[in-house]
Amino acid sequence: MPTFAAIDIGSNSCRLKIASVQMHRLKTLHEDREVTRLGESVFQTGVISPEAMASTIRALKRFHKAVQLHVADKVRVVATSAMRDARNAAAFTEWVKATTGWNVEVISGLEEGRLIHLGVVTHEVGARGRCLLIDLGGGSCEVTLSDGGRIKSMVSMPLGAVRLKEEFLRSDPPAKEDVARLKQFIDRELKRAEKKLGTPRVGLVIATSGTASALAEASGHVRKGRAANKTLAKKRLERVGALTADTPDVRRLADRLAKMNNSEREAVPGIGPRRSEIIVGGSLVYASLLERMGLKGFRYSPLGLRDGMLAQMLAEVDLRTSVHQKIESERWAGVLEVCERYGIEQRRVEPVRQHVVELFNALARVHELPEEYRLWLEAAAMMQDVGKFMNHQGHYRHTQYIIANSEIFGFSPEQRMIVSAVARYMGKSRPDPLDRPMRWIPVEEHANVTRAVVLLRLAVALNQDRASAVLQMKTHVYPKRVLLELVPGRGGAELEAWSLKKEAAYFREIFRRELFVEVA
């Protein structure tokens, strides 16, 4: 069975997790973590410093050896907030590529939240009910309202622990006026989150990442002292199987930490030397968030972004897993949300989707596209007209821009670019490697995109007369030709046949076969 490796290049630390598939489940083989503070210089100057790059590269080299040792079949490397903000992010990704051969995927805050949610709900006890997920990393904080294992709403805020330290807390201990400015900034961001999340009525709050772990372990010491807290922590572990923190304890701890210097914070049990440098901002965010949303506290989970990445990789190769069905459902819900946002009636585009799937299946020997292109084609068929929301003239260009820049859950930036390029070339133009949409797509995918464009053009041609019933079609594949036999609907099939024949020359150019069309 396959072995996967997930690498998370965060603003504070880099993490590696390697797992193998056993009985349709993931079994962890190896984990590693290194604090590299990639975002420290970014939040000061807007660029990644050479020192932070070198430190991260050293960690990635170690990860690379572990990946080779475990003979991983697939490796996915993602970067988050610091890389989203850094002006020299491209230079760093090239360095990673030259050193390890890995392509770094810079994901959005919402995609980061989606993957964290996927990892937590897949493995965490109780997360399938109604709950709130909080992930406060080095550069950003994602808060997700989940119900029944599905994302109801999500917000990503620039409230990462490293970011807040670099932007607000320059002295040690922090100056009172700096802490006051920080609290104002946190309140402003949380007000924005409230508009989207409202007041979430949940029985369970799950917090991930190192700040949550440190707060859960340290919050009891504020009130009880070390000896008493050991007993308290033991009882909590026996009761819920994880570290927990109550809101009043988090507030007391946050206020106390804000008055300490680094040496004093370092001595607080559960925080330690590296976390003490950035804990003040993170603790104030947690205290304000919990209070503002009326939450009693949180339960810490060691799961995170890399677990969601592994779950997605499992879903892509094992169609029998429940996580595969969840991701497919999530992806399709994202497509339908874009259609609704831009005024696309599902009943008008559904026949195009049906026909492109039929063509994909019937012409598999002709197009030889990877299996995932079926979904990309379905998505492009549904969203091909979203550009008309902006302007009917040149709407295919607008369509490409909207799809490429929309946040569609379950689609990576590269996948969105592929879908947007397929939808782009439904007019007079044809894919060209020098076109702007194609330049953002890996060269090895260009041929696949072009073949997918041909299939979608055929599906669009089959749906010229929107007033007639959906055409029935029989497809016959021969060594040197393809025959499409149309069964007319109520309005006939002459217009569709004429439209298909217009595509015959392009079909021959791409697939080296003649395309014939007959009306039964």
Side-chain angles (χ1 to χ4, degrees):
M1 298 300 286
T3 298
F4 303 129
I7 297 166
D8 165 19
I9 302 176
S11 304
N12 183 54
S13 60
C14 291
R15 298 170 184 266
L16 163 70
K17 194 166 190 176
I18 302 174
S20 64
V21 180
Q22 298 183 11
M23 301 295 291
H24 309 290
R25 293 179 179 273
L26 291 165
K27 181 181 179 181
T28 301
L29 302 177
H30 178 76
E31 290 188 79
D32 197 355
R33 176 179 179 270
E34 182 74 29
V35 176
T36 58
R37 297 282 163 82
L38 191 69
E40 196 167 53
S41 55
V42 175
F43 305 137
Q44 285 180 345
T45 64
V47 297
I48 307 169
S49 69
E51 294 79 14
M53 284 191 187
S55 175
T56 305
I57 290 293
R58 284 195 296 272
L60 294 177
K61 282 182 178 178
R62 189 172 76 243
F63 293 178
H64 187 258
K65 289 180 181 178
V67 168
Q68 289 182 314
L69 182 65
H70 288 87
V71 197
D73 299 280
K74 184 175 181 180
V75 182
R76 186 179 181 189
V77 185
V78 305
T80 54
S81 183
M83 289 286 281
R84 291 196 290 268
D85 292 357
R87 295 195 301 271
N88 61 342
F92 178 66
T93 58
E94 287 300 318
W95 192 359
V96 175
K97 174 76 171 177
T99 305
T100 64
W102 295 334
N103 291 312
V104 178
E105 182 185 337
V106 182
I107 60 175
S108 69
L110 295 181
E111 176 65 5
E112 182 181 354
R114 184 194 72 85
L115 287 170
I116 293 167
H117 173 267
L118 179 63
V120 171
V121 300
T122 301
H123 303 289
E124 187 70 36
V125 176
R128 290 298 181 92
R130 186 174 175 84
C131 62
L132 194 73
L133 273 58
I134 305 171
D135 180 81
L136 191 148
S140 64
C141 176
E142 283 70 42
V143 182
T144 306
L145 178 61
S146 176
D147 194 356
R150 294 179 180 273
I151 296 172
K152 292 301 180 182
S153 58
M154 181 193 299
V155 64
S156 179
M157 300 170 286
L159 297 178
V162 177
R163 182 192 296 274
L164 297 180
K165 172 188 176 294
E166 295 304 321
E167 292 186 0
F168 293 95
L169 307 174
R170 299 294 180 87
S171 61
D172 185 39
K176 289 183 179 180
E177 54 271 24
D178 290 341
V179 173
R181 285 193 308 114
L182 172 57
K183 288 181 177 179
Q184 287 179 348
F185 179 73
I186 292 170
D187 285 341
R188 190 183 73 193
E189 290 299 322
L190 291 179
K191 283 180 183 177
R192 184 171 65 86
E194 268 187 320
K195 290 179 181 178
K196 189 164 186 181
L197 296 172
T199 303
R201 302 181 184 279
V202 295
L204 176 64
V205 178
I206 298 175
T208 58
S209 82
T211 297
S213 173
L215 290 175
E217 191 170 344
S219 61
H221 290 269
V222 175
R223 190 161 42 102
K224 301 267 185 173
R226 294 191 183 205
N229 189 68
K230 287 180 181 178
T231 304
L232 178 65
K234 184 178 180 181
K235 288 180 180 178
R236 284 177 172 172
L237 286 167
E238 291 172 350
R239 185 172 70 250
V240 300
L243 288 170
T244 64
D246 299 329
T247 300
D249 291 345
V250 174
R251 168 53 72 187
R252 279 189 284 269
L253 178 62
D255 291 341
R256 180 180 166 190
L257 291 171
K259 298 174 184 177
M260 294 178 173
N261 61 34
N262 188 57
S263 298
E264 292 169 334
R265 294 193 298 270
E266 185 180 324
V268 176
I271 292 181
R274 296 292 280 172
R275 184 63 54 181
S276 63
E277 298 172 358
I278 61 173
I279 192 68
V280 174
S283 64
L284 289 171
V285 172
Y286 265 103
S288 298
L289 191 155
L290 293 169
E291 289 173 346
R292 181 178 285 273
M293 295 190 175
L295 304 170
K296 295 180 180 179
F298 66 79
R299 185 175 92 193
Y300 167 70
S301 170
L303 299 167
L305 177 59
R306 60 207 176 281
D307 298 280
M309 294 160 62
L310 290 169
Q312 179 135 358
M313 285 190 275
L314 170 63
E316 288 169 356
V317 301
D318 192 343
L319 306 186
R320 293 173 58 185
T321 59
S322 59
V323 71
H324 171 79
Q325 303 299 326
K326 172 179 166 45
I327 290 174
E328 291 299 295
S329 173
E330 204 170 59
R331 279 173 168 168
W332 201 242
V335 170
L336 295 180
E337 183 182 339
V338 171
C339 291
E340 183 179 353
R341 188 184 312 151
Y342 294 100
I344 302 298
E345 295 182 34
Q346 190 172 344
R347 64 180 178 81
R348 291 171 63 87
V349 291
E350 178 63 22
V352 182
R353 186 198 68 81
Q354 292 176 9
H355 276 132
V356 83
V357 171
E358 188 177 346
L359 288 164
F360 185 93
N361 296 336
L363 299 178
R365 287 187 294 138
V366 178
H367 60 67
E368 297 179 332
L369 286 169
E371 186 65 25
E372 60 264 25
Y373 269 79
R374 179 189 283 108
L375 176 62
W376 307 162
L377 276 164
E378 288 186 80
M382 297 293 287
M383 297 187 288
Q384 58 171 307
D385 286 337
V386 295
K388 290 180 179 178
F389 184 86
M390 299 175 68
N391 197 330
H392 276 256
Q393 186 175 359
H395 77 270
Y396 294 119
R397 293 196 304 274
H398 302 316
T399 292
Q400 189 276 327
Y401 178 84
I402 288 172
I403 297 174
N405 292 281
S406 293
E407 191 70 51
I408 309 173
F409 281 150
F411 289 83
S412 69
E414 181 181 306
Q415 291 165 352
R416 290 202 310 270
M417 291 303 301
I418 290 173
V419 173
S420 71
V422 173
R424 164 67 181 89
Y425 297 103
M426 293 300 103
K428 294 180 181 179
S429 58
R430 302 288 187 270
D432 187 297
L434 298 180
D435 289 349
R436 184 181 295 273
M438 299 297 287
R439 290 204 301 265
W440 292 102
I441 296 171
V443 174
E444 58 270 21
E445 293 293 336
H446 281 197
N448 288 337
V449 169
T450 302
R451 293 177 180 188
V453 165
V454 177
L455 294 183
L456 185 54
R457 291 182 69 89
L458 293 180
V460 171
L462 281 162
N463 291 274
Q464 294 297 304
D465 185 2
R466 301 294 181 102
S468 67
V470 177
L471 284 179
Q472 300 299 310
M473 174 182 61
K474 296 179 182 178
T475 306
H476 306 277
V477 178
Y478 303 101
K480 295 184 178 181
R481 63 191 178 97
V482 171
L483 171 63
L484 299 182
E485 187 178 352
L486 307 184
V487 180
R490 289 194 303 269
E494 287 73 18
L495 182 57
E496 285 79 6
W498 174 77
S499 299
L500 286 168
K501 288 173 183 177
K502 284 178 62 180
E503 301 295 333
Y506 192 41
F507 187 93
R508 181 174 60 251
E509 176 187 336
I510 301 303
F511 294 125
R512 300 290 186 256
R513 298 182 193 226
E514 297 292 338
L515 177 66
F516 293 96
V517 182
E518 292 182 359
V519 180

